[in-house]
Amino acid sequence: MKSRRLFLKTLAISPIVLAMACSDTPKVAKLAQGGRVVALGDSLTFGYGADKSQSYPVVLAQKTGWNIINMGVNGDTTKDVLNRMDSVISENPKLVLLGIGGNDVLRRVNASETRANLVSIIKALQNKNIPVVLIAEPHLSASALFGKASDNPVYKDVASEMGVPLLEKAWSTILSDDKLKSDQIHANGVGYAKFADELYQFLKEIGYV
């Protein structure tokens, strides 16, 4: 993927972050096969528009060997995810893949509220020493539905503040290509497979795979 950006604070993200200065040292410890991972988000995580077996968490689990629990809920906003953090934490994941916020835009939630909710979600996980990878979602405005999607800038701000890795432009690229969509705001099976591959490569770059 052409454009990826990784925001890391120095030490206080989680115990698995390695405090090494060498550029060739992995930034995180590799997550073993069978490791428990939560994919947390909305319909793009759930896999709306494709068979359940084609959702990105299922495809990513096949690539990594991880035990990935799909906690994507159709229609969820950042507030909805924040309200179910207890159930997420109770899964005792070794990693959370967080992709949420597109429905906030569709429902005209104030950007400052979305930002605050994202920060609160990540803080709740970090307080339990659960690392997070943040996944940018596009602006889902009416004009973007029929043109080229682009990432909501809130994700860069939150990733920088909270010191978490950010996967950029994956969904925006997929949802700008009619061949990869089941409708204007959801991927099809091929699109979800492409996203799983992009995320896999990103996780490999930062050291989890």
Side-chain angles (χ1 to χ4, degrees), residues 138-160:
H139 283 296
L140 295 178
S141 62
S143 60
L145 298 182
F146 302 98
K148 185 174 176 57
S150 59
D151 288 355
N152 189 330
V154 70
Y155 297 101
K156 281 188 179 182
D157 293 341
V158 171
S160 181

Side-chain angles (χ1 to χ4, degrees), residues 8 17 26 46 57 65 76 84 94 102 104 130 148 159 167 205:
L8 293 173
V17 174
F46 177 85
D76 255 16
R84 57 189 177 100
K94 300 297 183 184
D104 289 45
I130 300 171
K148 185 174 176 57
L167 175 64
E205 283 181 11

Side-chain angles (χ1 to χ4, degrees), residues 51-125:
D51 186 83
K52 187 177 293 186
S53 65
Q54 296 176 305
S55 69
Y56 98 72
V58 171
V59 179
L60 185 63
Q62 294 168 351
K63 289 176 173 290
T64 59
W66 296 343
N67 175 19
I68 302 181
I69 302 158
N70 190 337
M71 297 189 73
V73 175
N74 294 326
D76 255 16
T77 63
T78 54
K79 183 178 180 181
D80 294 323
V81 167
L82 184 59
N83 287 340
R84 57 189 177 100
M85 288 311 298
D86 286 346
S87 63
V88 175
I89 291 169
S90 71
E91 295 288 346
N92 296 312
K94 300 297 183 184
L95 176 66
V96 169
L97 307 171
L98 177 64
I100 192 68
N103 289 312
D104 289 45
V105 177
L106 290 174
R107 297 183 187 186
R108 300 179 182 272
V109 175
N110 189 283
S112 62
E113 182 179 342
T114 297
R115 188 184 191 284
N117 289 340
L118 286 169
V119 167
S120 294
I121 291 165
I122 295 170
K123 280 183 177 178
L125 295 167

Side-chain angles (χ1 to χ4, degrees), residues 190-207:
V190 178
Y192 287 120
K194 180 175 175 59
F195 178 81
D197 185 62
E198 294 286 355
L199 181 53
Y200 175 80
Q201 295 301 326
F202 182 65
L203 293 166
K204 191 172 182 179
E205 283 181 11
I206 63 178

Side-chain angles (χ1 to χ4, degrees), residues 5 31 38 62 160 162 181:
R5 201 163 179 180
L31 186 59
V38 164
Q62 294 168 351
S160 181
M162 301 306 296
K181 297 191 295 185

